[in-house]
Amino acid sequence: MFAVAYIIFFSKAMDVKVNKKTKSQSEEELHSLSKEELIDRIKQLEAHNTQLKSIVQKNLQNREETGNGKRAKKHRPFDFSKCFKRHILLRFYYLGWDYQGFAAQEDSIETIEHHIFAALKKVCLIESRETSNYNRCGRTDKGVSAFHQVISLDVRSKFPLEDQLHEASLVTELDYCSILNRVLPDEIRCLAWMPMVNAAYSARFDCRSRTYRYFFPRGDLNIGAMEEAAQYLLGAHDFRNLCKMDVGNGVVSFVRSIDEISIRASQVDSSGNASYDMMYLQLRGKAFLWHQVRCIMAILLLVGQGKEAPGVVKELLDVEKNPCKPQYSMASDVPLNLYQCEFNEKSTETNGVERLQSNGESELSTWIYKEDDLRRTISDLQALWTKESVKTTMMREMLATLHGVLVDQFGTDRPITEQAVTLTQGVRSREYCPLLQRQRCESLENRIEHYSKKRRIEVSVKSNDTKAAGGSDEPAS
């Protein structure tokens, strides 16, 4: 219902004429309809919803093409049949705070992936996403950033396949990063590229570990207690109580392994006030569940605030004792960063594509940077840093002045150290209810049964396997 309302609103905002619906029927009138009449009614609504989605997509495309209200000039189509192709990895950073996540969406162009593909097509490095042999290292959600996002794809090359790994070819190849950065938004930058031996090498399936960092101010948090709680997370566990269960997309196994977890200092406050020190939680693993890091951070913040004992993490990991997740709010998306990705020496994918060598050596080479590109990228990031740091410095000065007023006017030097409190989303109640005493969410078994009845997933009793219609267990934050 919300989606339909949003589409109608968006269509009006885009000056699109939408036929008005007939007067909505009351609940009593709907109850009086026969089964056949209700089926017809649902079909009408679905057809209307499809029509509205089509209108929104068309207007989003028009908005992108027209830019500042002027129709873009039409150029002669680029002839990709005359070009060579090579398979590469591309490394990006992006500040995702103002974007709707990494993955492309039907009803929005404000995603990182949309802008990357718009840039790739604009500079004619690829013909289309469908023909580019594309894979992404992972999906980051709305508001989440990345310093080391990697994609694999086939791009245009100046050289035939047999010459692509020659040193001279690598030096004089198209400057992929510079070409892309000229047309990407300021918050998205291509840092480096890597030539690949194997055209089946996948940024998604051949990534062996992903490292996330979650930044937060020290405030009055008990860092020692948070570190003690974090150690319970090491190793393989069922994280169903520390993530958002995406059963509707076929994810029914929530066992994941965290190979490294630590809390470290990132930046010390220049005035010596430790409550303004910036810290970060670092986690490394092969794959993460939907909202897993943010749920983990939410619990650690409760421990740091003294509201929960470190052992609560151990209790939440015991899914036999606690099969249903307690209701709690996640930590904010803004401080989360996909910080590092590491890849297999050789691809696990074998789809029969041609390789440039088969001598058993590593299929990874080194990332190719160019000094001018890197200097320009650092300068661009410094400009963004300057803008935000000036704001931060102004607020820090205001806080210091207000603290002085508090001391002068009321004779109290009791510090206010609530910097980290606002990272936990949701409404704060006056009286805190311990996690294990809260209302519980549905169990995993109930969710599986619910979606299998709706035919969103198929459960095989013999193989204990679950499949989803269009589902994905892709590494995500």
Side-chain angles (χ1 to χ4, degrees), residues 70-83:
K70 296 180 180 179
R71 178 68 62 176
K73 292 182 179 179
K74 290 186 177 181
H75 298 282
R76 186 172 60 186
F78 191 87
D79 189 356
F80 282 91
S81 65
K82 298 180 180 178
C83 300

Side-chain angles (χ1 to χ4, degrees), residues 81-260:
S81 65
K82 298 180 180 178
C83 300
F84 302 112
K85 285 185 179 181
R86 70 153 76 229
H87 191 61
I88 66 171
L89 299 182
L90 281 174
R91 177 185 169 186
F92 293 87
Y93 82 69
Y94 53 84
L95 304 174
W97 308 317
D98 296 324
Y99 290 89
Q100 299 298 310
F102 183 82
Q105 300 173 18
E106 288 184 0
D107 57 354
S108 176
I109 59 173
E110 292 308 317
T111 65
I112 305 297
E113 199 170 58
H114 170 87
H115 286 288
I116 288 176
F117 271 99
L120 286 165
K121 289 191 285 187
K122 186 171 184 177
V123 297
C124 299
L125 288 181
I126 66 168
E127 187 170 9
S128 68
R129 173 172 176 157
E130 292 73 23
T131 60
S132 65
N133 189 21
Y134 168 74
N135 270 298
R136 58 196 173 209
C137 180
R139 277 182 309 193
T140 53
D141 297 319
K142 178 182 177 181
V144 178
S145 301
F147 179 61
H148 200 126
Q149 176 68 274
V150 177
I151 66 173
S152 56
L153 76 171
D154 299 338
V155 293
R156 177 165 57 95
S157 173
K158 292 165 64 176
F159 304 100
L161 186 67
E162 61 272 14
D163 296 335
Q164 287 178 0
L165 292 182
H166 295 168
E167 186 174 347
S169 300
L170 295 176
V171 172
T172 57
E173 181 58 283
L174 295 169
D175 189 352
Y176 296 118
C177 296
S178 177
I179 292 171
L180 287 170
N181 288 339
R182 284 198 292 266
V183 295
L184 283 169
D186 292 340
E187 300 84 6
I188 308 172
R189 283 292 178 267
C190 184
L191 295 173
W193 69 281
M194 183 186 294
M196 300 309 299
V197 174
N198 180 4
Y201 199 97
S202 166
R204 175 184 174 188
F205 297 107
D206 293 315
C207 182
R208 60 184 171 89
S209 77
R210 297 165 175 85
T211 299
Y212 282 91
R213 286 186 178 181
Y214 191 101
F215 294 85
F216 62 97
R218 183 188 294 270
D220 60 355
L221 297 173
N222 184 339
I223 301 299
M226 294 174 70
E227 290 175 325
E228 180 184 346
Q231 294 309 303
Y232 289 113
L233 298 162
L234 276 172
H237 302 282
D238 190 318
F239 285 94
R240 69 180 67 179
N241 290 329
L242 290 164
C243 72
K244 189 169 182 179
M245 290 195 288
D246 196 15
V247 178
N249 277 328
V251 183
V252 294
S253 173
F254 296 91
V255 175
R256 297 292 185 275
S257 179
I258 292 181
D259 303 320
E260 176 203 342

